[in-house]
Protein backbone atom coordinates (compact mmCIF):
# COMPACT_ATOMS: atom_id res chain seq x y z
CA UNK A 1 0.00 0.00 0.00
CA UNK A 2 1.30 3.39 -0.85
CA UNK A 3 -0.31 6.42 0.58
CA UNK A 4 0.00 10.09 1.31
CA UNK A 5 -1.67 11.72 4.28
CA UNK A 6 -4.59 13.81 3.09
CA UNK A 7 -3.78 17.39 3.92
CA UNK A 8 -0.33 18.58 3.02
CA UNK A 9 -0.57 22.08 4.35
CA UNK A 10 -2.38 21.73 7.68
CA UNK A 11 -4.66 24.38 9.11
CA UNK A 12 -4.20 28.05 8.18
CA UNK A 13 -1.78 29.90 10.44
CA UNK A 14 -0.35 26.70 11.87
CA UNK A 15 3.39 26.05 11.49
CA UNK A 16 4.31 24.00 8.41
CA UNK A 17 3.86 20.30 8.92
CA UNK A 18 6.99 18.22 9.12
CA UNK A 19 7.37 15.83 6.23
CA UNK A 20 8.05 12.15 6.76
CA UNK A 21 8.93 9.52 4.17
CA UNK A 22 8.30 5.92 5.19
CA UNK A 23 9.89 3.20 3.09
CA UNK A 24 8.84 -0.32 3.90
CA UNK A 25 7.35 -3.00 1.68
CA UNK A 26 5.13 -4.30 4.46
CA UNK A 27 1.84 -2.36 4.70
CA UNK A 28 1.10 -3.96 8.05
CA UNK A 29 4.02 -1.93 9.37
CA UNK A 30 3.74 1.30 7.39
CA UNK A 31 -0.03 1.77 7.69
CA UNK A 32 -0.16 2.12 11.50
CA UNK A 33 3.08 4.10 11.51
CA UNK A 34 1.72 6.51 8.88
CA UNK A 35 -1.52 6.87 10.79
CA UNK A 36 0.31 7.51 14.07
CA UNK A 37 2.56 10.22 12.65
CA UNK A 38 -0.32 11.81 10.71
CA UNK A 39 -2.28 12.08 13.93
CA UNK A 40 0.70 13.88 15.44
CA UNK A 41 0.52 16.43 12.64
CA UNK A 42 3.17 15.11 10.27
CA UNK A 43 2.67 15.00 6.51
CA UNK A 44 3.44 11.40 5.62
CA UNK A 45 4.30 9.68 2.35
CA UNK A 46 4.43 5.91 2.77
CA UNK A 47 6.16 4.19 -0.12
CA UNK A 48 6.42 0.46 -0.64
CA UNK A 49 8.67 0.54 -3.70
CA UNK A 50 12.18 1.78 -4.25
CA UNK A 51 11.33 3.62 -7.50
CA UNK A 52 8.34 5.24 -5.83
CA UNK A 53 10.61 6.51 -3.07
CA UNK A 54 13.07 7.81 -5.66
CA UNK A 55 10.30 9.72 -7.41
CA UNK A 56 9.25 11.26 -4.11
CA UNK A 57 12.71 12.36 -3.00
CA UNK A 58 13.32 13.85 -6.46
CA UNK A 59 10.42 16.28 -6.04
CA UNK A 60 9.89 16.60 -2.29
CA UNK A 61 12.07 17.49 0.62
CA UNK A 62 11.58 15.53 3.82
CA UNK A 63 12.45 16.36 7.40
CA UNK A 64 12.77 12.68 8.17
CA UNK A 65 12.94 9.38 6.33
CA UNK A 66 12.35 6.10 8.15
CA UNK A 67 13.62 3.27 5.99
CA UNK A 68 13.32 -0.44 6.41
CA UNK A 69 16.77 -1.85 5.86
CA UNK A 70 15.63 -5.00 4.13
CA UNK A 71 12.57 -3.87 2.16
CA UNK A 72 12.97 -5.61 -1.16
CA UNK A 73 9.81 -7.61 -1.83
CA UNK A 74 8.71 -5.19 -4.56
CA UNK A 75 12.12 -4.40 -5.95
CA UNK A 76 15.77 -5.16 -5.74
CA UNK A 77 16.86 -2.29 -3.57
CA UNK A 78 17.13 -1.91 0.17
CA UNK A 79 16.84 0.87 2.68
CA UNK A 80 20.60 1.22 2.50
CA UNK A 81 20.42 1.97 -1.22
CA UNK A 82 17.64 4.47 -0.65
CA UNK A 83 19.78 6.11 2.04
CA UNK A 84 22.52 6.46 -0.57
CA UNK A 85 20.05 8.08 -3.01
CA UNK A 86 18.71 10.44 -0.35
CA UNK A 87 22.24 11.58 0.43
CA UNK A 88 22.85 12.15 -3.28
CA UNK A 89 19.96 14.63 -3.18
CA UNK A 90 20.63 16.32 0.15
CA UNK A 91 22.33 16.10 3.50
CA UNK A 92 19.42 17.82 5.17
CA UNK A 93 16.94 14.97 5.59
CA UNK A 94 17.30 13.03 8.80
CA UNK A 95 17.36 9.30 8.15
CA UNK A 96 16.51 6.44 10.48
CA UNK A 97 17.15 2.87 9.40
CA UNK A 98 14.93 0.26 10.97
CA UNK A 99 15.73 -3.43 11.00
CA UNK A 100 15.20 -6.53 13.08
CA UNK A 101 18.88 -7.28 12.77
CA UNK A 102 21.78 -5.16 11.60
CA UNK A 103 25.26 -6.56 11.33
CA UNK A 104 28.10 -4.35 12.53
CA UNK A 105 29.36 -4.14 8.94
CA UNK A 106 26.04 -2.88 7.60
CA UNK A 107 25.70 -0.44 10.48
CA UNK A 108 29.17 0.88 9.72
CA UNK A 109 28.27 1.29 6.04
CA UNK A 110 25.09 3.11 7.01
CA UNK A 111 27.08 5.47 9.24
CA UNK A 112 29.47 6.18 6.39
CA UNK A 113 26.52 6.97 4.13
CA UNK A 114 25.24 9.48 6.68
CA UNK A 115 22.45 7.70 8.56
CA UNK A 116 21.33 9.54 11.69
CA UNK A 117 20.21 6.47 13.61
CA UNK A 118 19.92 2.72 13.24
CA UNK A 119 17.08 1.34 15.35
CA UNK A 120 16.02 -2.22 16.05
CA UNK A 121 12.56 -3.45 15.07
CA UNK A 122 10.06 -3.48 16.58
CA UNK A 123 9.93 0.04 17.96
CA UNK A 124 6.97 1.23 19.99
CA UNK A 125 5.38 4.05 18.01
CA UNK A 126 5.39 6.57 20.88
CA UNK A 127 9.11 5.95 21.39
CA UNK A 128 9.82 6.25 17.67
CA UNK A 129 7.78 9.44 17.41
CA UNK A 130 9.55 10.91 20.42
CA UNK A 131 12.90 10.09 18.84
CA UNK A 132 11.76 11.61 15.53
CA UNK A 133 10.74 14.82 17.28
CA UNK A 134 14.11 15.09 19.00
CA UNK A 135 15.96 14.36 15.76
CA UNK A 136 14.05 16.99 13.79
CA UNK A 137 13.65 19.41 16.66
CA UNK A 138 13.91 23.11 16.05
CA UNK A 139 12.68 22.97 12.47
CA UNK B 1 -1.19 -6.95 -3.75
CA UNK B 2 0.14 -5.65 -7.07
CA UNK B 3 2.73 -2.97 -7.44
CA UNK B 4 1.92 0.69 -7.71
CA UNK B 5 2.27 0.61 -11.49
CA UNK B 6 -0.58 -1.90 -11.71
CA UNK B 7 -2.78 0.48 -9.73
CA UNK B 8 -1.86 3.37 -12.04
CA UNK B 9 -2.64 1.38 -15.17
CA UNK B 10 -5.90 -0.07 -13.85
CA UNK B 11 -8.94 1.18 -15.80
CA UNK B 12 -10.41 4.30 -14.24
CA UNK B 13 -7.52 4.87 -11.83
CA UNK B 14 -6.18 8.05 -13.42
CA UNK B 15 -8.25 11.16 -12.85
CA UNK B 16 -8.84 13.96 -15.34
CA UNK B 17 -9.36 17.68 -14.76
CA UNK B 18 -10.17 20.27 -17.39
CA UNK B 19 -8.21 23.48 -17.80
CA UNK B 20 -9.63 25.65 -20.59
CA UNK B 21 -7.62 27.88 -22.92
CA UNK B 22 -9.63 31.00 -23.64
CA UNK B 23 -9.65 33.21 -26.68
CA UNK B 24 -9.94 36.84 -25.70
CA UNK B 25 -11.40 39.22 -28.22
CA UNK B 26 -12.79 42.71 -27.89
CA UNK B 27 -15.62 42.38 -25.41
CA UNK B 28 -15.94 38.60 -25.52
CA UNK B 29 -14.30 35.41 -24.33
CA UNK B 30 -14.69 31.92 -25.70
CA UNK B 31 -13.17 28.58 -24.83
CA UNK B 32 -10.65 27.88 -27.59
CA UNK B 33 -9.74 24.43 -26.39
CA UNK B 34 -9.64 22.44 -23.17
CA UNK B 35 -6.38 21.06 -21.86
CA UNK B 36 -6.94 17.85 -19.93
CA UNK B 37 -4.74 17.33 -16.87
CA UNK B 38 -4.02 14.03 -15.18
CA UNK B 39 -3.74 13.11 -11.50
CA UNK B 40 -2.56 9.74 -10.19
CA UNK B 41 -4.81 7.34 -8.27
CA UNK B 42 -6.44 8.90 -5.23
CA UNK B 43 -4.83 8.15 -1.89
CA UNK B 44 -1.46 7.15 -3.35
CA UNK B 45 1.90 8.88 -3.28
CA UNK B 46 1.65 9.52 -7.03
CA UNK B 47 -1.44 11.73 -7.07
CA UNK B 48 0.70 14.73 -8.06
CA UNK B 49 1.52 14.47 -11.78
CA UNK B 50 5.21 15.31 -11.33
CA UNK B 51 5.56 12.36 -8.93
CA UNK B 52 3.43 10.12 -11.15
CA UNK B 53 5.63 10.68 -14.20
CA UNK B 54 8.87 10.60 -12.22
CA UNK B 55 7.83 7.18 -10.94
CA UNK B 56 6.93 6.07 -14.48
CA UNK B 57 10.38 7.19 -15.66
CA UNK B 58 12.11 5.36 -12.80
CA UNK B 59 10.19 2.23 -13.78
CA UNK B 60 11.01 2.75 -17.47
CA UNK B 61 7.28 2.71 -18.22
CA UNK B 62 6.71 6.31 -19.24
CA UNK B 63 5.25 5.37 -22.62
CA UNK B 64 2.74 2.97 -21.01
CA UNK B 65 1.66 5.58 -18.48
CA UNK B 66 1.40 8.24 -21.19
CA UNK B 67 -0.83 5.96 -23.25
CA UNK B 68 -2.99 5.23 -20.20
CA UNK B 69 -3.28 8.98 -19.63
CA UNK B 70 -4.37 9.57 -23.22
CA UNK B 71 -6.98 6.83 -22.95
CA UNK B 72 -8.32 8.25 -19.66
CA UNK B 73 -8.40 11.77 -21.07
CA UNK B 74 -10.22 10.83 -24.24
CA UNK B 75 -12.77 8.87 -22.24
CA UNK B 76 -13.37 11.90 -19.99
CA UNK B 77 -13.34 14.34 -22.89
CA UNK B 78 -16.28 12.51 -24.38
CA UNK B 79 -18.35 14.58 -21.93
CA UNK B 80 -17.20 17.84 -23.54
CA UNK B 81 -19.30 19.57 -26.19
CA UNK B 82 -18.65 18.10 -29.61
CA UNK B 83 -17.01 21.13 -31.17
CA UNK B 84 -14.41 21.81 -28.46
CA UNK B 85 -10.79 20.90 -29.07
CA UNK B 86 -9.11 18.67 -26.52
CA UNK B 87 -5.54 19.17 -25.33
CA UNK B 88 -3.60 16.01 -24.43
CA UNK B 89 -0.15 16.18 -22.82
CA UNK B 90 2.40 13.66 -24.09
CA UNK B 91 6.09 13.48 -23.22
CA UNK B 92 8.53 14.00 -26.07
CA UNK B 93 10.53 11.00 -24.92
CA UNK B 94 7.40 8.85 -25.18
CA UNK B 95 6.76 10.03 -28.71
CA UNK B 96 10.34 9.19 -29.70
CA UNK B 97 9.99 5.69 -28.24
CA UNK B 98 6.51 4.91 -29.51
CA UNK B 99 6.44 4.70 -33.33
CA UNK B 100 2.83 3.48 -33.25
CA UNK B 101 1.64 6.44 -31.21
CA UNK B 102 -0.23 8.18 -34.05
CA UNK B 103 -2.15 4.98 -34.84
CA UNK B 104 -2.87 4.50 -31.15
CA UNK B 105 -4.08 8.10 -30.87
CA UNK B 106 -6.42 7.74 -33.83
CA UNK B 107 -7.82 4.46 -32.53
CA UNK B 108 -8.25 5.80 -28.98
CA UNK B 109 -10.03 8.91 -30.25
CA UNK B 110 -12.30 6.80 -32.41
CA UNK B 111 -13.11 4.49 -29.49
CA UNK B 112 -14.01 7.52 -27.37
CA UNK B 113 -16.20 8.99 -30.10
CA UNK B 114 -13.96 12.03 -30.56
CA UNK B 115 -12.89 13.24 -34.00
CA UNK B 116 -9.10 13.17 -34.03
CA UNK B 117 -9.13 16.61 -35.67
CA UNK B 118 -10.31 17.97 -32.31
CA UNK B 119 -7.11 16.84 -30.58
CA UNK B 120 -4.17 19.05 -29.69
CA UNK B 121 -1.14 16.99 -28.69
CA UNK B 122 0.77 19.12 -26.20
CA UNK B 123 4.40 18.05 -26.25
CA UNK B 124 5.82 18.29 -22.76
CA UNK B 125 9.45 17.77 -22.02
CA UNK B 126 11.54 16.44 -19.22
CA UNK B 127 14.59 15.45 -21.18
CA UNK B 128 15.24 15.86 -24.86
CA UNK B 129 14.38 12.83 -26.98
CA UNK B 130 17.47 10.80 -27.74
CA UNK B 131 16.36 10.08 -31.29
CA UNK B 132 15.12 13.32 -32.82
CA UNK B 133 14.51 11.65 -36.16
CA UNK B 134 12.17 9.09 -34.60
CA UNK B 135 10.51 11.88 -32.64
CA UNK B 136 9.84 13.89 -35.78
CA UNK B 137 8.51 10.85 -37.62
CA UNK B 138 5.95 10.29 -34.88
CA UNK B 139 4.98 13.97 -34.95
CA UNK B 140 4.48 13.70 -38.72
CA UNK B 141 2.20 10.75 -38.05
CA UNK B 142 0.24 12.70 -35.44
CA UNK B 143 -0.23 15.52 -37.91
CA UNK B 144 -1.15 13.07 -40.67
CA UNK B 145 -4.03 11.62 -38.65
CA UNK B 146 -5.34 15.17 -38.25
CA UNK B 147 -4.33 16.27 -34.75
CA UNK B 148 -2.69 19.60 -33.99
CA UNK B 149 0.55 20.02 -32.09
CA UNK B 150 1.47 22.38 -29.26
CA UNK B 151 4.79 22.87 -27.54
CA UNK B 152 4.13 23.20 -23.82
CA UNK B 153 6.05 25.45 -21.43
CA UNK B 154 7.91 27.26 -24.21
CA UNK B 155 11.01 29.00 -22.88
CA UNK B 156 11.64 26.62 -20.01
CA UNK B 157 13.96 23.60 -19.86
CA UNK B 158 13.92 21.51 -23.01
CA UNK B 159 11.00 23.42 -24.54
CA UNK B 160 13.46 25.52 -26.47
CA UNK B 161 14.19 26.56 -30.05
CA UNK B 162 15.30 23.04 -30.96
CA UNK B 163 11.95 21.67 -29.79
CA UNK B 164 10.11 24.38 -31.72
CA UNK B 165 12.02 23.49 -34.88
CA UNK B 166 11.34 19.79 -34.37
CA UNK B 167 7.63 20.21 -33.68
CA UNK B 168 6.74 23.12 -35.99
CA UNK B 169 3.83 23.57 -33.63
CA UNK B 170 0.37 24.95 -34.20
CA UNK B 171 0.52 26.46 -30.71
CA UNK B 172 3.32 27.98 -28.67
CA UNK B 173 2.32 27.70 -25.01
CA UNK B 174 4.49 30.21 -23.18
CA UNK B 175 5.56 29.08 -19.75
CA UNK B 176 4.06 30.98 -16.82
CA UNK B 177 7.55 32.04 -15.75
CA UNK B 178 7.50 34.65 -18.51
CA UNK B 179 3.86 35.60 -17.98
CA UNK B 180 3.51 36.02 -14.24
CA UNK B 181 4.48 39.56 -13.32
CA UNK B 182 4.95 40.61 -16.95
CA UNK B 183 2.79 43.69 -16.39
CA UNK B 184 5.55 45.21 -14.30
CA UNK B 185 8.59 43.77 -16.05
CA UNK B 186 9.84 45.27 -19.29
CA UNK B 187 12.17 42.33 -19.95
CA UNK B 188 9.37 39.77 -19.64
CA UNK B 189 7.32 41.90 -22.02
CA UNK B 190 10.24 41.80 -24.45
CA UNK B 191 10.35 37.98 -24.26
CA UNK B 192 6.59 37.76 -24.86
CA UNK B 193 6.81 40.07 -27.87
CA UNK B 194 9.71 38.10 -29.33
CA UNK B 195 7.82 34.80 -29.01
CA UNK B 196 4.79 36.32 -30.72
CA UNK B 197 7.09 37.42 -33.51
CA UNK B 198 8.71 33.98 -33.68
CA UNK B 199 5.35 32.18 -33.88
CA UNK B 200 4.16 34.14 -36.88
CA UNK B 201 6.21 32.45 -39.65
CA UNK B 202 5.30 29.07 -38.16
CA UNK B 203 1.64 29.96 -38.60
CA UNK B 204 1.25 29.20 -34.91
CA UNK B 205 -1.04 30.66 -32.26
CA UNK B 206 0.46 31.76 -28.97
CA UNK B 207 -1.02 30.80 -25.61
CA UNK B 208 0.02 32.61 -22.42
CA UNK B 209 -0.02 30.13 -19.52
CA UNK B 210 -0.30 31.03 -15.85
CA UNK B 211 -2.50 34.12 -16.02
CA UNK B 212 -3.38 34.94 -12.43
CA UNK B 213 -3.61 38.71 -12.51
CA UNK B 214 -5.74 40.98 -14.66
CA UNK B 215 -2.72 43.22 -15.09
CA UNK B 216 -0.79 40.32 -16.63
CA UNK B 217 -3.76 39.57 -18.87
CA UNK B 218 -3.56 43.12 -20.16
CA UNK B 219 0.20 42.78 -20.61
CA UNK B 220 -0.05 39.65 -22.74
CA UNK B 221 -2.84 41.17 -24.81
CA UNK B 222 -0.66 44.22 -25.37
CA UNK B 223 2.03 41.84 -26.64
CA UNK B 224 -0.44 40.53 -29.22
CA UNK B 225 -1.46 37.29 -27.46
CA UNK B 226 -5.15 36.45 -27.52
CA UNK B 227 -5.11 32.87 -26.16
CA UNK B 228 -4.77 32.66 -22.39
CA UNK B 229 -4.95 30.10 -19.62
CA UNK B 230 -4.65 30.41 -15.88
CA UNK B 231 -6.19 30.54 -12.44
CA UNK B 232 -7.62 34.02 -13.08
CA UNK B 233 -10.37 32.18 -14.93
CA UNK B 234 -10.74 29.41 -12.36
CA UNK B 235 -8.77 26.39 -11.25
CA UNK B 236 -8.76 23.16 -13.26
CA UNK B 237 -11.74 21.03 -12.33
CA UNK B 238 -13.37 17.69 -13.08
CA UNK B 239 -16.53 19.18 -14.49
CA UNK B 240 -16.97 19.16 -18.24
CA UNK B 241 -19.76 21.68 -17.71
CA UNK B 242 -17.27 24.09 -16.16
CA UNK B 243 -15.04 23.91 -19.19
CA UNK B 244 -17.90 24.36 -21.57
CA UNK B 245 -19.90 26.82 -19.50
CA UNK B 246 -17.17 29.44 -19.53
CA UNK B 247 -17.84 29.87 -23.20
CA UNK B 248 -20.83 32.01 -22.40
CA UNK B 249 -18.71 35.08 -21.78
CA UNK B 250 -16.09 36.57 -19.54
CA UNK B 251 -15.49 33.96 -16.81
CA UNK B 252 -17.43 34.77 -13.67
CA UNK B 253 -14.35 34.17 -11.55
CA UNK B 254 -12.28 36.78 -13.36
CA UNK B 255 -11.52 39.68 -11.10
CA UNK B 256 -11.31 37.55 -7.99
CA UNK B 257 -7.50 37.77 -8.10
CA UNK B 258 -6.93 41.31 -9.14
CA UNK B 259 -3.43 42.67 -8.91
Amino acid sequence: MTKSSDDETGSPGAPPRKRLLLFDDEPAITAPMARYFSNLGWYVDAAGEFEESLALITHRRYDLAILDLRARRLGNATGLELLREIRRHDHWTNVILLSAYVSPEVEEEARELGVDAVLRKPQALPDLAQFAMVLTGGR
Amino acid sequence: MGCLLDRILAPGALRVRFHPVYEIQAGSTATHYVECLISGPHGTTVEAPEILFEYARKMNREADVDRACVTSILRAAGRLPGELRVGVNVHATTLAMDPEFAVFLGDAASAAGIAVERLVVEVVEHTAPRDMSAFQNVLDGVRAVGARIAVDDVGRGQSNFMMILACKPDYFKIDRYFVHGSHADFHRQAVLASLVHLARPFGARVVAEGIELEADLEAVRAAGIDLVQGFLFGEPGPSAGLAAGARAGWPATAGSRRS
Side-chain angles (χ1 to χ4, degrees):
Chain A
M1 184 66 182
T2 58
K3 201 164 186 176
S4 294
S5 50
D6 292 330
D7 179 9
E8 190 169 339
T9 53
S11 49
R17 300 171 73 184
K18 289 185 178 180
R19 285 177 165 274
L20 169 63
L21 172 66
L22 296 177
F23 173 55
D24 195 314
D25 61 2
E26 186 43 73
I29 292 173
T30 52
M33 200 184 291
R35 170 67 63 88
Y36 192 85
F37 276 87
S38 287
N39 288 342
L40 291 176
W42 291 67
Y43 175 83
V44 182
D45 282 325
E49 297 176 36
F50 183 67
E51 292 81 1
E52 179 187 9
S53 303
L54 288 184
L56 288 164
I57 64 172
T58 300
H59 290 277
R60 292 182 179 160
R61 196 170 180 181
Y62 294 93
D63 298 279
L64 176 65
I66 300 177
L67 317 176
D68 176 57
L69 180 65
R70 300 191 184 284
R72 58 164 64 241
R73 185 166 60 87
L74 295 171
N76 295 316
T78 67
L80 210 56
E81 285 160 89
L82 186 56
L83 166 63
R84 184 177 289 115
E85 291 296 326
I86 288 173
R87 286 293 174 251
R88 279 180 54 192
H89 280 82
D90 71 71
H91 290 270
W92 190 86
T93 303
N94 290 287
V95 179
I96 297 172
L97 272 179
L98 278 180
S99 184
Y101 172 74
V102 184
S103 69
E105 293 78 19
V106 168
E107 185 157 352
E108 178 58 25
E109 186 179 354
R111 300 260 178 235
E112 286 175 4
L113 287 171
V115 74
D116 293 280
V118 179
L119 302 179
R120 302 288 181 271
K121 274 184 175 176
Q123 285 280 324
L125 288 174
D127 294 344
L128 185 60
Q130 179 66 30
F131 187 72
M133 288 303 294
V134 170
L135 203 56
T136 60
R139 291 187 182 162
Chain B
M1 185 185 61
C3 74
L4 180 57
L5 191 67
D6 294 335
R7 287 191 67 184
I8 292 168
L9 297 177
L14 296 168
R15 293 167 301 147
V16 179
R17 289 169 300 137
F18 301 109
H19 197 199
V21 170
Y22 297 102
E23 181 161 13
I24 308 281
Q25 294 169 336
S28 71
T29 304
T31 305
H32 183 72
Y33 76 86
V34 179
E35 180 183 4
C36 299
L37 305 174
I38 280 286
S39 301
H42 181 66
T44 68
T45 52
V46 293
E47 281 190 58
E50 70 273 17
I51 309 279
L52 172 71
F53 290 109
E54 190 72 41
Y55 172 70
R57 272 190 289 277
K58 303 289 186 201
M59 298 291 283
N60 292 318
R61 298 291 293 275
E62 195 174 18
D64 294 325
V65 173
D66 262 344
R67 277 194 174 208
C69 290
V70 170
T71 302
S72 298
I73 284 169
L74 293 177
R75 199 169 291 144
R79 307 199 304 268
L80 293 170
E83 74 277 18
L84 271 182
R85 289 180 191 154
V86 177
V88 183
N89 289 288
V90 183
H91 290 88
T93 42
T94 289
L95 293 171
M97 289 186 298
D98 192 349
E100 301 292 323
F101 181 82
V103 174
F104 158 76
L105 185 69
D107 290 348
S110 175
I114 294 175
V116 73
E117 292 79 11
R118 287 175 56 199
L119 301 184
V120 179
V121 173
E122 296 198 13
V123 180
V124 295
E125 197 39 272
H126 179 260
T127 53
R130 270 174 284 185
D131 187 342
M132 287 303 278
S133 171
F135 174 60
Q136 284 183 298
N137 287 341
V138 174
L139 286 178
D140 288 346
V142 167
R143 223 183 272 285
V145 299
R148 291 173 172 81
I149 292 169
V151 173
D152 206 13
D153 303 330
V154 166
R156 195 184 71 181
Q158 300 291 338
S159 294
N160 51 28
F161 290 136
M162 192 173 79
M163 187 57 64
I164 288 168
L165 277 178
C167 292
K168 300 178 181 61
D170 302 282
Y171 296 95
F172 286 34
K173 295 192 74 181
I174 303 179
D175 190 81
R176 71 182 304 281
Y177 179 82
F178 305 100
V179 172
H180 189 68
S182 58
H183 70 280
D185 186 338
F186 168 80
H187 295 97
R188 278 182 165 75
Q189 291 169 25
V191 170
L192 295 177
S194 72
L195 288 170
V196 169
H197 183 72
L198 177 64
R200 204 164 291 140
F202 284 85
R205 305 281 303 268
V206 177
V207 180
E209 300 178 313
I211 300 279
E212 295 179 10
L213 307 171
E214 284 198 21
D216 287 338
L217 177 61
E218 292 310 315
V220 302
R221 291 186 68 191
I225 298 170
D226 59 359
L227 296 179
V228 294
Q229 185 181 38
F231 287 4
L232 178 65
F233 313 101
E235 297 189 9
S239 164
L242 182 92
R247 305 176 75 233
W250 183 258
T253 50
S256 62
R257 297 183 186 206
R258 290 175 192 276
S259 59

